[in-house]
Amino acid sequence: MITANDIFTISSHKQFEKIALKVFRFQHENNQVYRDFCDFLKVNPQQVKSLEQIPFLPIQFFKSHNVVSNNDPAQVTFTSSGTTGMITSRHLVTDVSLYEESYRNGFSQFYGNIEDYVVLALLPSYLERDGSSLIYMVEDLIKLSNQAESGFYLHNHDDLIKKLTALDESGQNVILIGVTYALLDLIEKHQFNLKNTIIMETGGMKGKRKEMIREELHEQLCKGFGVSAIHSEYGMTELLAQAYSLGEGIFECPSWMNILVRDPEDALTYVQDGKTGGINVIDLANINSCSFIATHDLGKKYPNNSFEVLGRFDNSDIRGCNLMVL
């Protein structure tokens, strides 16, 4: 039996691979959708001895199937954003404590104690719908900060400008988490010169603005907020783990998450570090769903296990996880 402690105390690649193979066999046995997919590929689980041999479930299965690895009722169902008429993904989470432990530990791994920050959130398009895993996470981080000043902002930009300026000038550490188009809206209204604030963009123009390459976007945000780097969060409805970039668009994973980059012409083979391909995510926190997901994202992996997100495959839906066009 694989426990949360096994997952969240991983300290080496060897340990990660050992637990990932255990999770694979557990999900092959208990997840009907995943087992059918593996059977279609004629994969014998007893012959799978490495991460590269594990089948990765195409992410679109979350639009048409209930991808679960147990019979427990869903405690929460996360849904992806989408335009009217678009089929959205559904992630049935049967143990939400795993999600909470994942994002709390992940935040701590990259940023330290949440109580050291005031957390401000500018996520209007997420707040205006139900089922957002991002809102669930940020709402909890706001509570955990134990800061009376922490909170969400919808369209009240004037209030946010006053609050952010006053907090930063007081020397308070602040994290402003925002959807991309809303951050651009904010700096069009006011030019900042922030000294104690981290700007974290979660991606997503939501059809409000034209898509931009990351370099152009981050240059505008750095100039508008007066900061030297823009942080980013890489997560999605179908996952329970997040990767973070502390600048330059280079992401790092928490110890229970990893990525492989598949050949865009052959989904069952992998490209060398530094080459562009499709991003496959291993998220061991997602043990009750599927931990091995082939995304629609294009990226590169580097020798130190960091990675970069470069865009999306042309034929996939535009969606609000942290993505830029090529």
Side-chain angles (χ1 to χ4, degrees):
M1 181 65 184
I2 305 144
T3 67
N5 187 64
D6 294 330
I7 293 166
F8 296 118
T9 58
I10 290 171
S11 58
S12 69
H13 179 74
K14 185 176 180 180
Q15 190 181 9
F16 180 93
E17 187 164 39
K18 181 180 178 181
I19 294 174
L21 289 168
K22 285 184 178 179
V23 170
F24 161 67
R25 293 188 181 97
F26 167 79
Q27 293 181 341
H28 183 275
E29 183 176 340
N30 293 281
N31 185 325
Q32 184 67 52
V33 173
Y34 186 53
R35 184 165 67 251
D36 288 347
F37 176 70
C38 292
D39 289 347
F40 176 77
L41 295 178
K42 296 181 170 56
V43 171
N44 180 346
Q46 301 309 315
Q47 295 176 344
V48 173
K49 306 294 185 183
S50 69
L51 299 182
E52 290 78 10
Q53 293 174 314
I54 294 173
F56 282 76
L57 187 73
I59 199 166
Q60 56 263 38
F61 274 71
F62 284 82
K63 294 185 176 185
S64 54
H65 297 78
N66 291 334
V67 184
V68 290
S69 293
N70 58 31
N71 294 318
D72 298 339
Q75 293 180 354
V76 62
T77 299
F78 293 129
T79 57
S80 63
S81 55
T83 57
T84 303
M86 182 186 292
I87 299 171
T88 57
S89 292
R90 295 171 70 249
H91 186 184
L92 279 61
V93 180
T94 59
D95 183 357
V96 77
S97 71
L98 286 170
Y99 182 45
E100 293 167 351
E101 196 164 353
S102 178
Y103 64 67
R104 290 171 183 174
N105 288 348
F107 181 92
S108 177
Q109 190 169 317
F110 288 96
Y111 294 100
N113 190 344
I114 185 64
E115 294 186 1
D116 292 339
Y117 300 91
V118 167
V119 180
L120 304 178
L122 183 60
L123 301 165
S125 49
Y126 293 92
L127 275 176
E128 291 167 336
R129 69 176 184 84
D130 294 328
S132 167
S133 57
L134 178 63
I135 293 298
Y136 189 101
M137 176 180 79
V138 173
E139 190 169 36
D140 190 49
L141 292 177
I142 285 171
K143 290 175 185 174
L144 292 171
S145 74
N146 284 326
Q147 301 273 4
E149 304 282 7
S150 293
F152 284 99
Y153 288 80
L154 193 55
H155 301 294
N156 44 338
H157 288 171
D158 291 338
D159 293 341
L160 176 56
I161 290 166
K162 290 176 185 175
K163 177 77 71 180
L164 186 54
T165 302
L167 286 169
D168 190 83
E169 289 177 352
S170 75
Q172 170 66 53
N173 291 326
V174 178
I175 294 182
L176 173 61
I177 303 174
V179 63
T180 303
Y181 78 84
L183 292 174
L184 290 169
D185 289 347
L186 189 65
I187 59 173
E188 282 186 356
K189 212 166 187 189
H190 183 83
Q191 293 286 296
F192 295 87
N193 186 25
L194 301 173
K195 305 296 184 188
N196 302 292
T197 299
I198 292 169
I199 306 298
M200 183 185 295
E201 56 99 1
T202 66
M205 290 299 190
K206 303 292 185 185
K208 307 281 187 180
R209 289 172 174 262
K210 72 176 180 68
E211 296 289 338
M212 301 164 63
I213 61 170
R214 177 188 55 78
E215 289 83 358
E216 180 186 4
L217 169 66
H218 284 201
E219 182 181 357
Q220 284 192 27
L221 292 176
C222 282
K223 184 177 179 182
F225 285 107
V227 297
S228 60
I230 300 299
H231 293 218
S232 304
E233 179 258 358
Y234 178 78
M236 56 192 71
T237 300
E238 300 83 359
L239 302 178
L240 294 186
Q242 299 79 30
Y244 289 100
S245 166
L246 306 190
E248 304 299 325
I250 304 299
F251 289 90
E252 294 185 33
C253 296
S255 58
W256 52 95
M257 179 184 182
N258 205 345
I259 73 153
L260 302 174
V261 179
R262 67 185 185 271
D263 188 322
E265 303 297 329
D266 180 359
L268 300 180
T269 63
Y270 293 95
V271 300
Q272 295 179 334
D273 288 347
K275 300 289 187 181
T276 299
I279 293 178
N280 285 358
V281 177
I282 303 174
D283 172 13
L284 299 183
N286 211 15
I287 187 169
N288 294 321
S289 177
C290 183
S291 292
F292 311 98
I293 297 174
T295 76
H296 285 149
D297 306 339
L298 287 165
K300 293 180 182 179
K301 188 174 181 178
Y302 298 106
N304 64 353
N305 277 334
S306 64
F307 69 99
E308 194 172 358
V309 181
L310 300 174
R312 296 181 71 82
F313 285 96
D314 289 341
N315 62 350
S316 61
D317 298 330
I318 294 296
R319 247 196 2 189
C321 36
N322 190 351
L323 309 168
M324 304 290 153
V325 294
L326 283 172

